[in-house]
Amino acid sequence: MGEFTDQIEPLKQAALAGLRAAPDLAALDQARSNFLGAHGQFTALMKQLGALPKDQKPAAGKAVNAAKIELEAALASRRGELELKAALPTEPADFTLPGRRRPLGKLHPLTQATEDIVRSFRKIGFVVADGPEVEDEYHCFDALNTPADHPARDTQDTVYLAPAPPPNPNLPPAPASAPGSSLPAPAPRLLLRTHTSSVQIRVMKNQAPPVRIIVPGRVYRRDNADATHNPTFHQVEGLYVDRNVTVGDLKGTVEFVFRELMGPETRIRFRPHYFSYTEPSFEIDFSSALTRKMGKEWLEIAGCGMVHPQVFENVGYDPEVWTGWAFGFGIERIAMIRYGINDIRLFYENDARFLRQF
Ligand code: DAH
């Protein structure tokens, strides 16, 4: 026993001296490893504890542990000193140098346009709704009265996702869709949504009328990028469902919002058009100082119409009771006209010289 405990004190003193004398963090780590590391001298001493006779172990263990705690405290304290020393500047600071500027960031012009559109609609009681960008064909087309063989679907032929891999035969089969049927329901084909109109369906399936929503969001088309096209862009969808809604309500709302966005002298006109989810359907043109600056009296800006009774049937609304209108337009187009931007691709390049102007 005596032999063992006699070793503790001198080794501790040597270790303390080594730790305290370390001139930098690397040297400190070396000293720590020499004494307290896996092959360190102090660790070796602790390993001998096991070989002591049983009656000597408690006292010897206590003494070793007390020394170890002291060493660890000395290590931590020296590490603190050295870290502080390492963090201090090596050269004196020049407090007369000018401060560093932190330039304020800004919202992207598309975000600004979207926020303005949302703000105008909020004034007249609309709320923002949202839906997934990875959509299925049912919500994007079928429920909007655009079946698979419909020509309107060709123009939105778009980016489909690869079908899910076939089920693993080593796993138990998925539960059948209908009771008594052994066939699982066919997985719906997924695609990147081509328009925000899909959210009309999601919202109506989820809530009872009346509905007053707008849906800003990103959409995808298989378009080649040029000055006026990009494979991804943004739209705002609007949907209003209530009793006795008329084209007059639609026109009044559109006029209000476009005057907010494009100035009080803005005029709008409706031209008959075709969309499969509205009847009658229109394209909206507008005219303002901005369009005249672009050398045109009228510019096409949106599609709209009265919600088709079949769409109401598809979401479980009674078309004899409920009426409504819907519209959709592109946010990039609004922003381009407002700010006089002539190439849509500028929005996505994130060139700070472009973005700083808005
Ligand atoms: N979804 C159409 C498009 O992407 C825009 C649109 C037209 C939306 C008429 C509507 C609508 O809600 O009624 O071109």
Side-chain angles (χ1 to χ4, degrees):
M1 161 88 178
E3 227 180 278
F4 179 83
T5 41
D6 287 351
Q7 295 177 60
I8 299 176
E9 189 58 25
L11 193 53
K12 183 184 90 180
Q13 291 306 337
L16 283 176
L19 293 172
R20 285 181 186 142
D24 54 34
L25 286 166
L28 183 69
D29 198 55
Q30 187 59 54
R32 183 200 59 78
S33 157
N34 288 346
F35 292 103
L36 294 168
H39 304 290
Q41 297 175 50
F42 200 82
T43 312
L45 186 66
M46 291 186 81
K47 283 184 189 153
Q48 292 173 29
L49 262 183
L52 289 181
K54 213 171 167 189
D55 61 330
Q56 295 178 15
K57 272 189 199 170
K62 210 170 150 192
V64 165
N65 271 328
K68 185 164 185 224
I69 287 167
E70 214 176 314
L71 289 183
E72 275 167 356
L75 172 67
S77 130
R78 184 65 185 150
R79 178 171 288 138
E81 287 168 16
L82 291 174
E83 276 172 355
L84 182 63
K85 196 173 127 195
L88 289 176
T90 47
E91 286 170 29
D94 179 354
F95 294 106
T96 66
L97 286 176
R100 280 199 196 103
R101 275 178 200 282
R102 289 183 191 279
L104 268 188
K106 281 178 138 188
L107 294 177
H108 192 281
L110 288 177
T111 308
Q112 293 186 36
T114 307
E115 290 193 348
D116 288 348
I117 294 164
V118 167
R119 198 175 304 119
S120 312
F121 276 102
R122 284 216 168 111
K123 288 187 186 169
I124 48 175
F126 281 71
V127 296
V128 172
D130 199 6
E133 288 175 24
V134 175
E135 189 49 278
D136 57 55
E137 286 187 304
Y138 174 76
H139 290 92
C140 206
F141 302 126
D142 300 84
L144 287 162
N145 204 27
T146 317
D149 57 0
H150 198 289
R153 213 143 138 166
D154 297 346
T155 61
Q156 302 209 359
D157 186 18
T158 184
V159 191
Y160 283 85
L161 277 74
N168 182 341
N170 300 321
L171 294 176
S177 56
S181 146
S182 58
L183 289 172
R189 273 223 297 172
L190 296 180
L191 72 159
L192 298 179
R193 68 179 178 193
T194 56
H195 52 185
T196 43
S197 305
S198 52
V199 185
Q200 290 187 28
I201 303 300
R202 291 193 173 270
V203 169
M204 287 193 281
K205 285 215 163 206
N206 236 341
Q207 72 163 79
V211 176
R212 231 188 299 184
I213 53 158
I214 54 161
V215 185
R218 194 195 300 262
V219 301
Y220 302 80
R221 302 238 176 129
R222 209 190 51 186
D223 271 336
N224 293 323
D226 62 24
T228 53
H229 296 85
N230 198 62
T232 72
F233 60 102
H234 300 78
Q235 285 187 332
V236 177
E237 192 80 12
L239 174 68
Y240 177 41
V241 181
D242 208 332
R243 296 172 204 268
N244 306 317
V245 177
T246 68
V247 175
D249 297 316
L250 169 56
K251 204 160 181 186
T253 308
V254 170
E255 200 167 64
F256 169 78
V257 170
F258 278 96
R259 286 196 173 147
E260 290 253 311
L261 290 174
M262 304 295 200
E265 286 101 297
T266 303
R267 288 178 301 147
I268 60 157
R269 73 176 184 193
F270 280 20
R271 268 184 298 105
H273 198 74
Y274 175 81
F275 295 104
S276 44
Y277 28 97
T278 42
E279 179 58 34
S281 303
F282 310 96
E283 275 190 330
I284 307 172
D285 297 339
F286 86 105
S287 164
S288 75
L290 291 168
T291 62
R292 286 187 287 280
K293 214 162 96 188
M294 294 168 75
K296 297 222 170 101
E297 185 60 37
W298 294 99
L299 266 185
E300 179 212 317
I301 194 76
C304 68
M306 302 304 289
V307 179
H308 197 292
Q310 185 61 50
V311 173
F312 281 146
E313 298 266 8
N314 294 345
V315 298
Y317 285 11
D318 183 349
E320 296 298 327
V321 177
W322 301 105
T323 45
W325 54 246
F327 69 81
F329 60 81
I331 298 176
E332 276 80 348
R333 196 158 155 77
I334 297 272
M336 286 170 82
I337 295 167
R338 274 179 84 175
Y339 299 126
I341 295 166
N342 57 12
D343 193 322
I344 195 172
R345 290 166 292 194
L346 290 165
F347 287 125
Y348 317 113
E349 283 170 359
N350 274 342
D351 184 332
R353 291 167 303 178
F354 170 74
L355 296 174
R356 261 199 297 272
Q357 301 173 66
F358 306 99

